[in-house]
Amino acid sequence: MELLMAIVIGILFTCAVYLMLSKSLLRIIIGTAVLSHGAHLLILTVSSLKKGAPPLLGQHAESYVDPLPQALILTAIVISFGVTAFFLVLAYRAYQELGTDNMDQLRGNEGND
Amino acid sequence: MTLLHWAILSPFLFAILIPFLYKAFRKIHTGWFVLILPVVLFVYFFRFISLTKNGDTVTETVNWMPSFGIQFTAYVDGLGLLFAMLITGIGALVVLYSIYYLDKAKEQLHNFYVYLLMFMGAMLGVVLSDNLITLYMFWEFTSISSFLLIGYWYQKERSRYGALKSMLITVFGGLSMLGGIILLYLMGGTFSIRELVGMSDQLVTDPLFMGALILILLGAFTKSAQFPFHIWLPDAMEAPTPVSAYLHSATMVKAGIYLVARMSPIFATSGVWIWLVGGIGLFTVFWGSFNAVRQKDLKGILAFSTISQLGMIMSLLGIGGAALHYNQLDENIYMAATLAAVFHLINHATFKGSLFMVAGIVDHETGTRDIRKLGGLMSFMPITFTIAIIGAFSMAGLPPFNGFLSKEMFFTGMINVLSLDIFNFETFGALFPVLAWVGSIFTFVYSMILVFKTFTGKYQPEKLEKKPHEAPIGMLISPIILASLVVIFGFFPNILSDRILAPAVEAIVPSLIADGQTVKTEISFWHGFSPELFMTIGVIAFGVILYLTLSKWEKIYRVLPQRLSLNSLYDGGLRGSERGAYSFMNGHMTGFIRTYLVYIFTFFVGISLFSLWYNDAFSLEMDKMAPIGIYEVAVALLLVVSTVMILFAKSRLTSIILLGATGYTVSLFFVVFRAPDLALTQLVIETVSVALFLLCFYHLPKLSRHEERMRFKLGNALIALGVGVTVTLFAISAYSTKLFDSISEYYIKNVYEEAAGKNMVNVILVDFRGFDTLFEICVLAIASLGIFAMIKLRLTRRDEG
C-alpha cells in the first residue's frame, strides 16, 4: 500500500512542480495547493499505513492508527490554507492593480533595481 | 600602559585635538602645533640608543585580548628603534616643510594633519609591535591613512584613481599577510614574533611553513612596491609632495622592508626565501631604474627610483639571509649584505626625502614638474640646486656622499653571491651582480636627468606658469638638514655604526650573535682596488655615455607597447572583473520566477539523488507494508486522474474544479486511512479554497482572458518528473529504513488518564502539543489581517487606462 501511495505522491509532486513552472499566476497557486496535498499524504504514508482503529479511545480496539501524524497534518492543512488564502487575495489584488496574470509581465522593469 | 605605549598612541590622541586647534587658531598654521609631537617623540626615542647600543631591549606588555593571545606588546630593539627614529625624525622635517608648502587659507589643513598623525602613529605601531595581530592592525592603519592622504585633493580624478589603486594593492597584500600570520600562529601557537623566532628550527619543517612564507612575502612586497606590485607607487604621486616624501619614500614603503628584516630569523633558513627576496628585489632594482629613465615628471622619476632603491634594500636583505647558513660570525661575508641593507635604508630616507622636497619646491615655484618644460633654473634657485645635486649624486652612488658607501656595500653583497654554494646559487647566482650593475647604470642616468634637465640647459620662461625664484627659507630648512645628513653620513659613516647599525643588524640575525659579541660595522671609505671599485668606475663611465646619448636610444622604450604594461594589466583586470561580475549576475538573475524555481528544483533533485546514491541509502522493504485493497486503488486512481487532468485543462474553471476534486479525493483518503478529523477539516477547507479560487477567476482582467491550454515544455516536464521521482524514492526509502518505533504508544496509553479525552488527535492538538495550535491560530489571524489590509489599504492608486 505504501508503495502505491509513494507513487501517487510522486505524481502529485510532478504535476505540482509542472504547474508552478508555468506562466499563469493562477496555475502557480493551483500548483502550490497540489503540492500541499502531496506533502500531507507523504506525512501520512511514511508514518506507516497499518490498519487499526481510528484514534478514538472509545473504540476499545486492539490497536489504533498513529495519532501523531494526523495532528501534524491537521496543523499543516490549516497553515497551508491560511497561506493559500493570503496568496490568492494577493493574486487578486495584483490583477486589479496591474491588469495581468502573466508572470513574465510581472517581471518589473530594468533599472528598477 | 607605560610611557612607551602612550608614545606609540600619542599621534592618534593628538589627531583628535587637531580639528579643534584648527578652528580655534585660524591665524596660526596648524602645522606648528603638529610639529611639537614628532620632535618630542624623536627626542624620546633618541634616549633609547644608549640602551640598544649594549644589546638591551625593552618589552612592555598591555593586555588587549588575552584570551586570544593578543597583547599590545611594545618591543624596542635596534631595528625597531632605527625605524622609529626615521619615522619621527623625517616626520618632524616633513611637517615643517608642509607648513610652508600648504597654504593655510586654501587647504583643508585639519584633514591633512589628522591623516598624517594617524599615519605616524600607525607606522610607530608597526615597527614597535611584537604581537603579530597588533602589527597587522597598525599595518592596515597605514594603508588607510595612505589612502586618505593620496586622495587628499579628492576633487581630482587622478588622486582618487591613485588612492583606490594603492588601497586595493596594499590591502590585498595586507590580507595575505594576515593569512600568513594565522598560519604562523597555527604552527607556533603564539603571535609573538620573538617567541616564533625562538622556535624557528621546528617551524621550518612544518608543512604550513611554505604557505606562511609566501603570504607574508606578498604583504611585504605589495607594501614595499616590489615587482610586479610596484604599479601603485607612481600613481600615489598625486598626493601632496610632503606626503610623497614622507610616506612614499621614507617610511610606509619601508614597512615591507621592516617586515622582511623582522621575519628573516624565522624564514631565512629556507632557500625559497633567499631566492624570492633576493631575486625579486634585484629584478625590481633593474626594472625600477630602467623605467625611471623614461619618466617626464619629476615625481614620476622619483617614484620609480624609490621602487628601484627599495628593491636594492630588499635584495640585500635576501642575500643577508644566507648568513644564517654559515655558523661562524667572523669572516661571515653575508652579514655585510644585511649591514648594507640597514645602512642604505637610512641613506635612502635622507637623500630621497630631500629630493622629493626639491621636486616640491620646483613645482611650487614654477608651477610645473614636467622636465620638458623645465631647464636653466640653476641661477634662480641656487640653494635648491645644491640640495638637488647632493641628493642626486648620493642616489647615483658618487663619492663623497653616503650613497656611494652603500652602493659599494651593495656591490660587495652581490659579488659575495658568487661564492654561495647552497640552493643552486652556483648556477644562476652570477645574474645577481650583473643585474645589480646594470641597474646601477640606469640609476646613474636618471639621477643625472633629474638634476641636469631641471637646473641646467636652456631656460624656457614661456612654458612656465610663474616666474621662478628661490623658495622661502622655511621650505628649505628640511631639505637642507637632510642634505647635510647625506654629507655627514658620507664623510663620517662610523658615527652611525656602533650606535644604530650594529643593534639593527643584531636584531635581524639574532641567532648568530653570541653573548657579548658585537657585529663588526666599520665602514671604510677606501678599501683598496677591489672589484667593487671597478664596478663603480664602470657605472660612472657607462652612465655618462648613456646620459649623453640619451636622445638616440630613448626609442627602445617604444619597443614595448603601452598595452602590454603592468598598468593596463591592472586596469584591464579591474574592468574585466567588474564586467565579469555584471554579466554573471545578469546571466543568472533573469527576473523570471520560473528561472529561480528551476534553479531551486534542479538543486533539490541533484543534491537529493546524489546523497541517496553516495550514502547508498535507498532500500525497499516489502514485508512491513500494509496490503492493498481494491477501494484504495480506486481512490488512488481517482486522485491521479483528477490531478493529471489539471495539466490538460483548457479553461481555468475546469482546472479549479479539478483541483477541488483532488482535494475531496484526498479527504476520501483520510477516511480510508482512519483519520476522521482530517477528513472533516479537509472537506471544509477545500470548499472554502475552491470558492476563493473562483473569486480570483472571476476577477481576471479582460485583456488576457483568452484561455489557452498549457503548452508542453520538455524542460519543465523533465524537472517536474525529476522532483516527483525524487520524492517517491525518498518516501519509499524513508519508510523502509525505520530506525525507531513511533512514540505514539505514550499518547494512546495516557490520553484518558492524563488528559481526560478520548479523541487522541484533538488531545494532542490542544493538550500534549498545544503550542503548535496556538501559533497556527496566530498564522490564521495574521493571514486574515493581511488579507483585510491588502483589500482596504490603497495608498497608491494607479490611473485606470
Side-chain angles (χ1 to χ4, degrees):
Chain A
M1 185 68 229
E2 282 82 2
L3 194 62
L4 176 72
M5 284 312 291
I7 293 165
V8 169
I9 290 160
I11 293 169
L12 283 182
F13 268 82
T14 308
C15 296
V17 170
Y18 193 79
L19 283 165
M20 285 165 78
L21 290 172
S22 78
K23 278 183 196 165
S24 149
L25 189 53
L26 196 64
R27 284 206 176 101
I28 291 174
I29 302 174
I30 292 176
T32 56
V34 175
L35 196 74
S36 61
H37 289 325
H40 299 157
L41 286 177
L42 184 64
I43 299 175
L44 206 60
T45 304
V46 293
S47 66
S48 78
L49 301 168
K50 265 187 234 136
K51 296 286 181 179
L56 301 167
L57 211 57
Q59 302 273 324
H60 301 297
E62 291 266 310
S63 67
Y64 297 95
V65 298
D66 197 340
L68 187 60
Q70 296 194 9
L72 295 182
I73 294 168
L74 198 66
T75 311
I77 289 174
V78 175
I79 289 176
S80 70
F81 166 70
V83 174
T84 308
F86 184 84
F87 198 4
L88 274 169
V89 177
L90 187 67
Y92 158 74
R93 292 283 296 129
Y95 295 150
Q96 274 191 335
E97 293 287 323
L98 305 168
T100 179
D101 81 325
N102 188 333
M103 285 311 293
D104 288 1
Q105 291 170 9
L106 290 175
R107 201 179 143 216
N109 300 322
E110 287 287 325
N112 265 4
D113 45 355
Chain B
M1 294 287 272
T2 58
L3 191 59
L4 188 58
H5 288 104
W6 287 116
I8 294 171
L9 295 179
S10 60
F12 291 104
L13 300 175
F14 200 65
I16 299 171
L17 289 179
I18 294 298
F20 298 109
L21 291 173
Y22 176 72
K23 291 273 184 233
F25 304 97
R26 292 308 281 259
K27 292 267 166 56
I28 309 167
H29 196 289
T30 317
W32 290 115
F33 302 113
V34 180
L35 185 60
I36 302 163
L37 185 73
V39 171
V40 169
L41 285 176
F42 183 77
V43 173
Y44 172 71
F45 284 118
F46 198 83
R47 286 171 40 243
F48 278 93
I49 288 183
S50 53
L51 258 172
T52 56
K53 196 178 143 190
N54 306 325
D56 294 333
T57 57
V58 181
T59 315
E60 302 285 357
T61 303
V62 170
N63 272 344
W64 183 19
M65 289 182 261
S67 53
F68 292 103
I70 298 171
Q71 274 96 16
F72 183 12
T73 307
Y75 174 66
V76 184
D77 65 353
L79 187 66
L81 185 67
L82 163 63
F83 273 92
M85 288 179 62
L86 275 182
I87 292 158
T88 48
I90 301 204
L93 295 177
V94 161
V95 170
L96 179 65
Y97 178 77
S98 70
I99 292 171
Y100 289 91
Y101 187 83
L102 295 173
D103 194 291
K104 77 166 175 270
K106 290 182 202 147
E107 304 284 355
Q108 295 171 307
L109 292 176
H110 51 315
N111 291 349
F112 182 81
Y113 286 112
V114 167
Y115 302 158
L116 199 73
L117 281 174
M118 217 170 100
F119 170 78
M120 193 183 290
M123 212 48 217
L124 281 177
V126 167
V127 299
L128 296 177
S129 287
D130 183 56
N131 192 289
L132 281 167
I133 295 292
T134 320
L135 187 148
Y136 172 72
M137 182 191 73
F138 284 119
W139 184 277
E140 292 297 32
F141 260 126
T142 65
S143 295
I144 294 167
S145 48
S146 165
F147 168 79
L148 291 169
L149 282 167
I150 296 170
Y152 174 64
W153 286 311
Y154 52 82
Q155 306 87 344
K156 289 200 293 186
E157 199 270 334
R158 293 294 305 170
S159 296
R160 298 198 301 270
Y161 171 80
L164 182 66
K165 192 174 184 179
S166 75
M167 183 78 164
L168 282 177
I169 293 178
T170 52
V171 168
F172 159 74
L175 286 175
S176 309
M177 192 180 97
L178 181 62
I181 289 170
I182 291 167
L183 288 185
L184 274 177
Y185 180 74
L186 291 178
M187 288 189 280
T190 174
F191 283 121
S192 162
I193 298 175
R194 274 170 313 137
E195 286 171 31
L196 285 169
V197 168
M199 52 180 99
S200 61
D201 294 341
Q202 63 208 71
L203 292 183
V204 75
T205 53
D206 200 287
L208 296 176
F209 180 79
M210 205 44 76
L213 189 158
I214 305 257
L215 288 173
I216 296 268
L217 269 189
L218 263 180
F221 283 173
T222 48
K223 200 72 160 184
S224 281
Q226 297 297 294
F227 187 87
F229 306 109
H230 64 274
I231 50 172
W232 66 267
L233 190 60
D235 284 302
M237 291 301 128
E238 295 301 324
T241 304
V243 172
S244 309
Y246 189 36
L247 274 70
H248 306 128
S249 75
T251 51
M252 187 182 88
V253 286
K254 286 183 179 146
I257 305 267
Y258 168 79
L259 190 72
V260 168
R262 191 49 103 195
M263 292 292 177
S264 275
I266 301 176
F267 289 114
T269 40
S270 147
V272 180
W273 174 271
I274 298 176
W275 264 109
L276 276 179
V277 177
I280 291 185
L282 204 58
F283 188 74
T284 312
V285 171
F286 166 72
W287 191 251
S289 59
F290 178 71
N291 274 295
V293 176
R294 79 196 289 180
Q295 301 302 316
K296 299 294 171 218
D297 176 30
L298 282 182
K299 279 173 86 175
I301 298 176
L302 289 173
F304 275 101
S305 124
T306 303
I307 292 166
S308 161
Q309 306 275 325
L310 290 171
M312 184 168 150
I313 302 173
M314 201 63 104
S315 65
L316 284 168
L317 283 176
I319 300 305
L324 290 180
H325 296 274
Y326 298 91
N327 280 326
Q328 70 284 18
L329 181 62
D330 305 320
E331 307 301 318
N332 194 335
I333 50 176
Y334 306 104
M335 293 281 282
T338 310
L339 176 63
V342 176
F343 188 43
H344 193 68
L345 185 80
I346 302 170
N347 293 347
H348 177 249
T350 53
F351 68 69
K352 192 52 66 69
S354 67
L355 283 176
F356 265 110
M357 289 173 184
V358 164
I361 290 170
V362 169
D363 186 18
H364 206 260
E365 304 306 332
T366 63
T368 182
R369 298 194 310 247
D370 192 328
I371 51 170
R372 284 165 300 193
K373 293 182 187 165
L374 295 167
L377 295 178
M378 185 163 57
S379 50
F380 298 98
M381 309 175 159
I383 305 173
T384 317
F385 172 63
T386 315
I387 298 164
I389 222 164
I390 292 172
F393 279 19
S394 175
M395 182 158 76
L398 296 179
F401 306 110
N402 59 3
F404 169 71
L405 300 171
S406 47
K407 180 137 296 181
E408 295 280 282
M409 290 159 76
F410 173 54
F411 285 150
T412 315
M414 290 301 135
I415 290 170
N416 286 343
V417 173
L418 295 175
S419 56
L420 269 177
D421 51 4
I422 43 172
F423 309 128
N424 292 326
F425 269 98
E426 306 89 342
T427 44
F428 295 105
L431 271 176
F432 276 66
V434 174
L435 265 181
W437 190 66
V438 175
S440 298
I441 293 175
F442 282 111
T443 305
F444 183 88
V445 174
Y446 72 68
S447 303
M448 295 307 112
I449 292 176
L450 193 70
V451 179
F452 292 114
K453 297 259 173 181
T454 313
F455 290 101
T456 62
K458 211 161 101 272
Y459 172 52
Q460 302 158 298
E462 69 282 357
K463 288 188 183 168
L464 299 179
E465 288 164 27
K466 301 179 187 169
K467 172 124 182 60
H469 55 81
E470 187 57 271
I473 183 66
M475 218 165 172
L476 286 168
I477 296 172
S478 302
I480 286 174
I481 293 175
L482 286 172
S484 355
L485 285 178
V486 169
V487 179
I488 292 170
F489 293 158
F491 280 109
F492 311 104
N494 290 323
I495 55 169
L496 288 174
S497 52
D498 278 345
R499 293 177 186 83
I500 294 177
L501 297 183
V505 172
E506 280 164 28
I508 297 174
V509 282
S511 61
L512 293 179
I513 313 293
D515 278 337
Q517 224 172 358
T518 46
V519 188
K520 188 164 150 285
T521 48
E522 283 298 308
I523 298 167
S524 57
F525 229 105
W526 175 253
H527 36 70
F529 288 100
S530 53
E532 296 89 331
L533 187 68
F534 293 111
M535 280 171 88
T536 304
I537 293 170
V539 166
I540 296 171
F542 273 94
V544 169
I545 294 169
L546 280 182
Y547 175 67
L548 293 176
T549 57
L550 187 62
S551 52
K552 297 199 175 59
W553 58 272
E554 235 175 351
K555 290 187 205 76
I556 63 157
Y557 287 113
R558 283 178 228 135
V559 174
L560 189 74
Q562 280 291 322
R563 264 179 289 119
L564 286 179
S565 77
L566 285 164
N567 271 322
S568 44
L569 202 70
Y570 163 85
D571 290 332
L574 214 57
R575 250 198 322 272
S577 52
E578 266 169 22
R579 277 199 200 130
Y582 184 74
S583 57
F584 174 71
M585 288 305 290
N586 262 8
H588 76 282
M589 304 295 266
T590 55
F592 294 112
I593 189 168
R594 186 189 160 271
T595 322
Y596 305 136
L597 284 175
V598 167
Y599 298 150
I600 293 168
F601 288 133
T602 317
F603 184 76
F604 165 70
V605 171
I607 202 80
S608 310
L609 290 184
F610 174 76
S611 55
L612 266 186
W613 167 78
Y614 187 77
N615 297 316
D616 201 16
F618 183 74
S619 64
L620 173 61
E621 218 174 285
M622 296 293 282
D623 35 316
K624 273 197 290 184
M625 289 193 182
I628 307 176
I630 184 78
Y631 187 61
E632 286 95 333
V633 174
V635 178
L637 264 178
L638 193 62
L639 180 59
V640 168
V641 168
S642 60
T643 313
V644 173
M645 284 298 284
I646 298 176
L647 301 182
F648 297 100
K650 189 181 172 198
S651 105
R652 291 190 174 95
L653 190 61
T654 321
S655 47
I656 290 166
I657 291 168
L658 282 168
L659 177 69
T662 312
Y664 290 131
T665 323
V666 169
S667 64
L668 269 184
F669 258 124
F670 290 149
V671 173
V672 172
F673 294 141
R674 315 276 200 277
D677 300 291
L678 289 187
L680 275 175
T681 319
Q682 180 70 30
L683 274 173
V684 174
I685 278 184
E686 199 57 38
T687 314
V688 180
S689 300
V690 168
L692 268 170
F693 271 107
L694 288 174
L695 182 78
C696 280
F697 171 76
Y698 180 75
H699 283 282
L700 269 190
K702 301 247 171 345
L703 270 176
S704 62
R705 216 160 152 175
H706 59 92
E707 304 208 311
E708 54 183 20
R709 188 166 288 151
M710 258 168 83
R711 268 191 241 109
F712 178 73
K713 282 191 186 129
L714 184 65
N716 292 0
L718 283 178
I719 289 165
L721 205 63
V723 173
V725 170
T726 311
V727 171
T728 304
L729 291 179
F730 256 113
I732 295 171
S733 182
Y735 181 76
S736 304
T737 50
K738 278 224 178 76
L739 300 177
F740 313 103
D741 283 337
S742 169
I743 55 167
S744 299
E745 284 307 308
Y746 172 82
Y747 294 132
I748 295 168
K749 273 192 196 124
N750 293 304
V751 69
Y752 193 73
E753 284 80 44
E754 301 281 335
K758 291 188 174 174
N759 184 332
M760 297 172 204
V761 175
N762 286 5
V763 170
I764 290 176
L765 280 176
V766 298
D767 196 315
F768 291 126
R769 298 174 56 89
F771 276 119
D772 285 0
T773 315
L774 180 66
F775 289 105
E776 164 197 337
I777 292 168
C778 271
V779 169
L780 274 188
I782 291 169
S784 49
L785 281 176
I787 290 167
F788 180 76
M790 262 196 298
I791 291 174
K792 285 289 173 193
L793 206 63
R794 303 283 161 91
L795 292 178
T796 52
R797 185 91 199 156
R798 270 187 186 222
D799 297 333
E800 298 298 332

